[in-house]
């Protein structure tokens, strides 16, 4: 079964544990500038929104790459940057409509979420369940359940 | 090693920024943040210095756990000599700013001198630069942050700034970072203003500046400690749901909620301004005051309140800048802006709180000073002519008007900006000032909670709830339940709290973790992060050393045993209602015992033996 990162902004408090976990996983630093997941604060709306790559099936970044440096991991479904192949041309950063693949000046390559080989550090670090790693086919299950709970069935059973 | 080992010394008079290595011997003796910066401060500054003189220093400092995955590991402190108190001032803040300082590679920023013109410090990793702030002077905290991000085209810059209140020297002006988190107390923002320093802006991308001593053990220790926070009723449920406002009804029912300048000890309007009220839908627009809870950097508790006001409320009608969500009232602010002056309008408190964040001043000292002014007015000592409007207890209009005037330093706001001690002295009634060492009380009455009274009287930065939170044993039963009216054992318990608090404040984490964490939870995190042996015993010794160092500074600054006191009202006027009815403070009984437990003379001076033991 393939899994998918599931982001629920309603549960996010903006603590940035996910960003630290990501930076630590990939660079062994807590400096969140290195994180591939970002939490955005919409202060005047009182909203915190985590955001990262959704691993498109037809991935713009992968298609745009002129040197085939982005590959599909058939197990996790992640689109993975092959660092030795990447030439840092940044075409993928232009092609991605979501801004979730970015250049890293330190390495001269691009980076994006690779789902940590199927065990994403951000989801493990999230204290509120705003980031979970769930059955890719059922990311809507929680919402369905919430709506199901609102169904009035008491009259029928009375 | 958890420290970056880099200190930036900024001489504002000369306009220079000079890096220097951190004194690692001091880091081993004082850990970080509060302790370490205070060690630098007392070593470099004359205790008799005028807080507004260029010779006073202003130090921004992080702890070894700041900018790490330790829960709440994002704190920084500001250390200086406080203009409100004339004592050591140390104000602690959360938000994201502190962690960013570490990411940029700095443990500490020491500001010396005073700039001839307004400037802000821009830190991009190791690059430090003083930038002209002429166009920012006079701007609000909120405008300043927006402007700096715009000018440098970097929305990821974090900003700590003063507002108008700090510029004009409101004696309890704070430093506000990330729009609504503040190093709020004792007037650290006024010292910043006196140095013509408008803001510190920082962006950090370094990845190698503070390697941990034992990363694997650190991640295991922080993960275990997070589970303790999640499983605890206060940190796992109470604080995220109600914030510190979870206390409003509790403290009121216990009969320890100072009301109308401490004339009363219970507030009939407490329910209207409580954490529960923030969840309730308003009849006017059908929405609740509280939008959501929010966390500071790395915090898995998330007690922060994010509020949105009723756009139809008289205070914000036609003022769209206050109609979006922003930092809502926490317990101390709700008490000071509300109960302390008898106001029960939650929306008005939220508006005044927004103003405190926007213009950078402490809602506790402000609200309490308004309470004192209202009592002076009630007694006929202050008149409508002098104030410019009616000032009776319970007047929502007067409270918000004074918040606006204080922020701008206009009219009677100038008097309110001096704080309650100077206000009451000016009008010939110093006894009506509800302060210790010139700093206003927070939201617990020293008659209702005897241990809190002792904590206030002995706090090194003036009346404060964050220097020894005796509410924990006296109300919440943490670590053991103590009778609020008992005096026995309070001195020893307070000493333990004060020393542990000094450790927490020096580590880079939030004091609120201690609702759930004991030293046994904190120690493994420090041990894994920092090189050396950090046994629990050593940490408590560090805490005690810090406490005594602060005390020695205050004594050298001219404070004496006489300043370890409570206002006559708390010593003589009995609590009128509730479970603590008839109580007065028994400070006289507890204070000598406290000095003894501390290893101080009967005059409150550390003995030679104590000094030698602590190496102060």
């Amino acid at each position: 079964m393939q899994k998918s990162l599931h982001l629920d902004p309603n549960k996010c408090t903006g603590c940035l544990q996910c960003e630290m976990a990501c930076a630590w996983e990939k660079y062994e630093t807590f400096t969140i500038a290195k994180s591939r997941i970002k939490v955005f604060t919409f202060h005047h709306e009182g909203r915190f929104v985590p955001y990262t790559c959704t691993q498109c099936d037809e991935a713009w970044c992968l298609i745009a790459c002129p040197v085939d440096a982005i590959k599909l991991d058939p197990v996790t479904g992640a689109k993975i940057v092959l660092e030795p192949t990447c030439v840092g041309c940044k075409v993928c950063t232009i092609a991605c409509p979501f801004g979730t693949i970015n250049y890293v000046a330190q390495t001269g390559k691009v980076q994006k979420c690779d789902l940590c080989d199927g065990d994403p550090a951000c989801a493990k670090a999230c204290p509120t369940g705003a980031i979970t790693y769930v059955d890719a086919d059922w990311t809507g299950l929680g919402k369905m359940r919430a709506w199901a709970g609102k169904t009035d069935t008491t009259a029928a059973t009375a | 090693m958890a420290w970056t080992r880099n200190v930036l010394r900024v001489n504002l008079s000369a306009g220079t920024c000079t890096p220097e290595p951190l004194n690692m011997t001091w880091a081993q003796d004082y850990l970080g943040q509060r302790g370490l910066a205070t060690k630098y401060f007392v070593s470099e500054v004359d205790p008799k210095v005028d807080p507004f003189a260029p010779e006073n220093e202003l130090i921004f400092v992080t702890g070894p756990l700041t900018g790490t995955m330790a829960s709440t590991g994002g704190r920084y402190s500001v250390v200086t000599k406080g203009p409100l108190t004339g004592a050591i001032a140390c104000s602690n803040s959360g938000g994201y700013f502190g962690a960013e300082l570490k990411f940029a590679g700095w443990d500490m920023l020491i500001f010396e001198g005073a700039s001839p013109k307004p400037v802000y410090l821009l830190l991009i990793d190791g690059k430090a630069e003083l930038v002209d702030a002429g166009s920012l002077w006079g701007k609000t905290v909120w405008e300043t942050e927006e402007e700096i991000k715009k000018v440098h085209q970097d929305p990821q810059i974090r900003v700590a700034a003063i507002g108008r209140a700090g510029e004009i020297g409101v004696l309890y002006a704070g430093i506000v970072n990330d729009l609504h988190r503040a190093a709020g107390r004792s007037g650290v923002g006024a010292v910043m203003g006196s140095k013509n320093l408008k803001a510190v802006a920082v962006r950090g991308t370094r990845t190698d500046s503070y390697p941990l001593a034992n990363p694997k053990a650190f991640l295991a220790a922080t993960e275990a400690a997070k589970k303790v926070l999640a499983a605890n009723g206060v940190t796992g449920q109470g604080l995220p749901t109600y914030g510190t406002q979870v206390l409003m009804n509790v403290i009121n029912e216990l009969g320890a909620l100072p009301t109308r300048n401490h004339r009363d000890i219970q507030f009939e309007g407490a329910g209207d301004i409580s954490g529960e009220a923030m969840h309730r839908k308003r009849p006017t627009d059908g929405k609740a005051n509280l939008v959501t809870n929010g966390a500071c950097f790395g915090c898995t508790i998330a007690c922060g309140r994010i509020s949105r006001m009723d756009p139809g409320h008289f205070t914000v009608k036609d003022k769209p800048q206050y109609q979006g969500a922003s930092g809502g009232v926490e317990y101390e602010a709700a008490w000071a802006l509300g109960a302390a002056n008898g106001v029960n309008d939650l929306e008005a408190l939220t508006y005044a709180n927004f103003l405190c964040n926007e213009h950078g001043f402490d809602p506790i000292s402000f609200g309490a000073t308004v309470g004192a002014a209202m009592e002076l007015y009630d007694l006929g000592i202050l008149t409508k002519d002098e104030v410019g409007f009616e000032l009776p207890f319970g007047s929502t209009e007067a409270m918000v008007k004074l918040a606006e005037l204080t922020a701008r330093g206009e009219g009677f706001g100038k008097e309110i900006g001096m704080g309650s001690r100077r206000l009451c002295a000016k009008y010939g009634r110093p006894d009506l000032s509800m302060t210790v060492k010139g700093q206003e009380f927070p939201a617990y009455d020293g008659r209702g909670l005897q241990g809190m009274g002792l904590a206030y009287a002995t706090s090194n930065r003036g009346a404060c709830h964050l220097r020894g939170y005796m509410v924990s044993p006296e109300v919440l039963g943490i670590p053991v339940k103590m009778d609020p009216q008992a005096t026995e054992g309070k001195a020893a318990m307070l000493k333990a709290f004060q020393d542990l608090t000094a450790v927490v404040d020096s580590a880079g984490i939030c004091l609120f973790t201690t609702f759930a964490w004991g030293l046994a939870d904190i120690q493994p995190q420090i041990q894994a992060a920092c090189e050396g042996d950090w046994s629990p015993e050593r940490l408590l010794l560090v805490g005690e050393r810090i406490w005594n160092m602060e005390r020695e500074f205050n004594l050298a600054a001219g404070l004496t045993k006489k300043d370890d006191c409570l206002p006559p009202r708390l010593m003589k006027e009995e609590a009128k209602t509730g479970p603590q009815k008839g109580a007065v403070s028994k400070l006289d009984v507890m204070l000598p015992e406290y000095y003894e437990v501390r290893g101080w003379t009967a005059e409150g001076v550390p003995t030679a033996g104590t000094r030698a033991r602590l190496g102060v």
Side-chain angles (χ1 to χ4, degrees), chain B residues 237-255:
Chain B
Q237 289 167 11
L239 285 173
T241 308
Y242 296 111
T244 52
Q245 274 274 63
V246 69
L247 287 166
M248 184 64 76
N249 285 321
V250 175
I251 301 297
N252 188 50
E253 278 157 29
L254 193 76

Side-chain angles (χ1 to χ4, degrees), chain A residues 13-17 20-21 24 29-34 38 41 43-46 48 106 125 127, chain B residues 67-69 96 103 156 179-180 204 206-207 212 215 219 226 292 295 297-299 308 324-326:
Chain A
T13 62
C15 76
L16 311 191
Q17 282 280 346
M20 278 191 282
W24 184 264
T29 178
F30 295 127
T31 299
I32 56 172
K34 296 298 169 202
K38 297 301 289 180
T41 302
H43 183 68
H44 292 298
E45 300 165 31
F48 304 97
Q106 200 182 351
Chain B
T68 73
M69 280 181 83
Y96 303 117
F103 299 154
Q156 299 192 81
L179 304 177
H180 63 108
R206 294 186 56 181
T207 56
L212 304 178
L219 292 176
K226 283 174 201 168
T292 187
F297 184 89
C299 175
R308 187 189 284 119
S326 195

Side-chain angles (χ1 to χ4, degrees), chain B residues 473-491:
Chain B
E474 293 187 315
V475 179
L476 304 169
I478 304 169
V480 289
K481 183 81 181 81
M482 294 181 105
D483 176 354
Q485 285 307 325
T487 55
E488 203 190 340
K490 292 287 169 73

Side-chain angles (χ1 to χ4, degrees), chain B residues 84-291:
Chain B
L84 188 67
T85 56
I88 192 83
C90 175
S91 264
N92 181 309
S93 182
Y96 303 117
F97 176 84
E100 200 73 18
L101 267 183
K102 286 283 287 278
F103 299 154
W106 302 103
D107 290 320
M108 199 185 301
L109 315 172
I110 302 175
F111 293 95
E112 309 170 335
S115 173
K117 60 180 175 55
V119 290
Y120 65 93
L121 177 69
L122 179 68
L123 289 171
I124 308 291
D125 291 333
K127 189 166 165 268
E129 185 189 352
L130 288 168
V131 185
D132 183 86
S135 64
L136 294 174
W137 205 251
K139 293 240 161 85
T140 68
V141 168
W142 297 350
E143 290 164 342
T144 300
E145 174 164 334
E146 194 181 334
E147 195 62 29
I148 288 176
K149 287 177 172 177
K150 203 166 112 192
V151 166
H152 299 288
Q153 296 186 48
D154 189 350
Q156 299 192 81
I157 286 176
R158 309 288 189 191
V159 177
I162 56 167
R164 193 79 191 121
E167 295 175 8
I168 62 178
V170 168
L171 290 179
Y172 44 81
I175 299 167
V176 181
N177 56 283
D178 305 291
L179 304 177
H180 63 108
R181 308 308 315 180
R185 299 221 74 191
S186 311
V188 295
V191 172
M192 189 156 157
S194 75
K195 297 187 174 305
N196 263 331
L197 179 65
K198 179 67 180 175
V200 177
V202 57
R203 177 84 203 288
T205 67
R206 294 186 56 181
T207 56
D208 55 352
S209 60
Y210 53 103
L212 304 178
N214 187 343
K216 214 170 163 186
F218 181 75
L219 292 176
T222 53
E223 203 178 323
K226 283 174 201 168
K227 285 186 183 142
V228 174
L229 291 179
N232 180 277
V234 179
T235 52
Q237 289 167 11
L239 285 173
T241 308
Y242 296 111
T244 52
Q245 274 274 63
V246 69
L247 287 166
M248 184 64 76
N249 285 321
V250 175
I251 301 297
N252 188 50
E253 278 157 29
L254 193 76
L257 190 73
T259 300
R260 288 173 284 268
N261 205 35
H262 289 63
R263 272 186 175 176
D264 297 301
I265 199 163
Q266 287 184 303
F267 181 40
E268 65 285 356
D272 303 330
I273 61 171
S274 65
E276 290 82 350
M278 291 174 78
H279 278 272
R280 231 170 273 146
K281 283 182 181 165
R282 292 180 289 242
T284 42
D285 65 348
K287 289 182 178 147
N289 176 280
L290 185 76
V291 179

Side-chain angles (χ1 to χ4, degrees), chain A residues 42-151:
Chain A
F42 298 90
H43 183 68
H44 292 298
E45 300 165 31
R47 290 202 301 141
F48 304 97
V49 184
Y51 204 79
T52 190
C53 174
T54 55
Q55 316 294 348
C56 309
D57 263 12
E58 273 190 47
W60 277 267
C61 60
L62 184 150
I63 295 162
C65 179
V67 294
D68 288 337
I70 301 173
K71 291 285 180 204
L72 167 73
D73 180 328
V75 181
T76 63
K79 310 302 173 296
I80 292 172
V81 177
L82 304 173
E83 279 214 0
T85 314
C86 174
V87 294
C89 73
K90 313 180 194 68
V91 170
C92 56
T93 69
I94 301 165
C96 173
F98 308 107
T100 50
I101 186 164
N102 285 285
Y103 182 64
V104 183
Q106 200 182 351
T107 57
K109 316 283 180 183
V110 294
Q111 69 170 13
K112 68 180 288 301
C113 170
D114 61 5
L115 296 177
C116 300
D117 285 332
D119 189 16
C122 56
K124 278 189 289 186
C126 178
T128 64
I131 306 170
T132 49
Y133 192 54
V134 300
D135 183 347
D137 291 356
W138 285 103
T139 53
L141 196 68
K143 276 188 206 164
M144 278 175 83
R145 189 176 193 286
W147 282 101
K150 288 179 188 172
T151 311

Side-chain angles (χ1 to χ4, degrees), chain B residues 201-447:
Chain B
V202 57
R203 177 84 203 288
T205 67
R206 294 186 56 181
T207 56
D208 55 352
S209 60
Y210 53 103
L212 304 178
N214 187 343
K216 214 170 163 186
F218 181 75
L219 292 176
T222 53
E223 203 178 323
K226 283 174 201 168
K227 285 186 183 142
V228 174
L229 291 179
N232 180 277
V234 179
T235 52
Q237 289 167 11
L239 285 173
T241 308
Y242 296 111
T244 52
Q245 274 274 63
V246 69
L247 287 166
M248 184 64 76
N249 285 321
V250 175
I251 301 297
N252 188 50
E253 278 157 29
L254 193 76
L257 190 73
T259 300
R260 288 173 284 268
N261 205 35
H262 289 63
R263 272 186 175 176
D264 297 301
I265 199 163
Q266 287 184 303
F267 181 40
E268 65 285 356
D272 303 330
I273 61 171
S274 65
E276 290 82 350
M278 291 174 78
H279 278 272
R280 231 170 273 146
K281 283 182 181 165
R282 292 180 289 242
T284 42
D285 65 348
K287 289 182 178 147
N289 176 280
L290 185 76
V291 179
T292 187
N293 64 324
C296 293
F297 184 89
C299 175
T300 57
I301 303 171
C303 74
R305 304 292 88 186
I306 306 295
S307 287
R308 187 189 284 119
M309 288 187 60
D310 173 1
H313 192 264
F314 80 93
T315 52
V316 296
K317 228 173 172 177
D318 309 318
K319 293 183 201 164
Q321 70 268 38
Y322 303 112
Q323 293 178 4
S326 195
V329 285
E330 302 187 8
Y331 172 59
E332 311 295 335
W335 164 80
L337 301 167
N341 45 57
V343 172
N344 70 338
D345 180 340
L346 178 63
E347 296 301 305
L349 308 193
T350 307
Y351 171 65
N353 197 62
F354 283 179
L355 292 183
C356 288
N357 290 333
E358 185 187 20
H359 301 284
F361 58 104
D362 172 21
I364 302 178
S365 284
F366 164 75
T369 304
V370 171
M374 284 178 171
E375 180 155 15
L376 291 169
Y377 182 87
D378 187 70
L379 296 170
I381 299 166
L382 260 178
T383 62
K384 187 183 166 189
D385 279 355
E386 234 153 331
V387 179
F389 42 88
E390 308 265 6
L391 191 57
F393 276 119
S395 169
T396 305
E397 291 78 5
M399 189 276 289
V400 297
K401 184 79 189 153
L402 284 174
E404 291 166 351
L405 292 174
T406 301
R408 295 197 296 262
E410 291 169 4
F412 197 71
K414 271 190 227 142
E415 306 294 332
I416 298 292
M418 296 293 108
S420 144
R421 179 165 73 175
R422 288 165 181 81
L423 178 82
C424 293
K426 179 174 174 177
Y427 289 95
R429 290 297 301 272
D431 58 307
L432 293 182
S433 171
M434 295 300 124
T435 53
V436 174
K437 300 179 177 72
Q439 179 156 284
E440 290 73 12
F441 287 114
Y444 316 87
D445 197 297
R447 292 166 293 192

